[in-house]
């Protein structure tokens, strides 16, 4: 998969996520803010450990932050 293929696939999935959240009543800007926050957390995790697959001794899997905006907020 090329970088352009990966970006196109990611964009499509993000559009689906935003559309689904907006349909359920969340504000678009809140959804984008949650996505950016999640990306920031992933970036920090990557900076701490660029290849978690190398950590064979540590089998801890962190759950996503799950702080997406609720449909009834706002």
């Amino acid at each position: 998969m090329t970088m352009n293929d990966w970006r196109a696939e990611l964009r499509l999935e993000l559009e689906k996520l935003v559309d689904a959240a907006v349909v359920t009543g969340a504000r678009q800007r809140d959804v984008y803010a949650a996505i950016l926050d999640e990306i920031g957390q992933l970036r920090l995790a990557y900076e701490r450990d660029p290849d978690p697959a190398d950590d064979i001794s540590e089998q801890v899997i962190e759950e996503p932050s799950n702080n997406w905006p609720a449909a009834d907020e706002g």
Side-chain angles (χ1 to χ4, degrees):
M1 179 178 277
T2 68
M3 181 62 91
N4 285 338
D5 293 340
W6 179 84
R7 289 178 69 191
E9 187 173 326
L10 176 62
R11 175 172 286 198
L12 179 62
E13 292 304 314
L14 285 172
E15 287 174 356
K16 288 181 196 176
L17 176 68
V18 172
D19 289 347
V22 170
V23 165
T24 62
R27 292 184 305 186
Q28 190 176 33
R29 68 174 176 249
D30 292 338
V31 177
Y32 286 135
I35 290 170
L36 291 174
D37 180 60
E38 195 72 29
I39 290 170
Q41 290 179 37
L42 289 170
R43 183 184 55 80
L44 290 175
Y46 178 79
E47 288 175 355
R48 286 192 305 266
D49 190 357
D51 192 356
D54 290 339
D55 300 339
I56 295 171
S57 63
E58 188 174 343
Q59 297 296 324
V60 177
I61 299 174
E62 293 184 26
E63 292 295 322
S65 64
N66 201 19
N67 60 351
W68 294 90
D72 57 4
E73 289 182 359

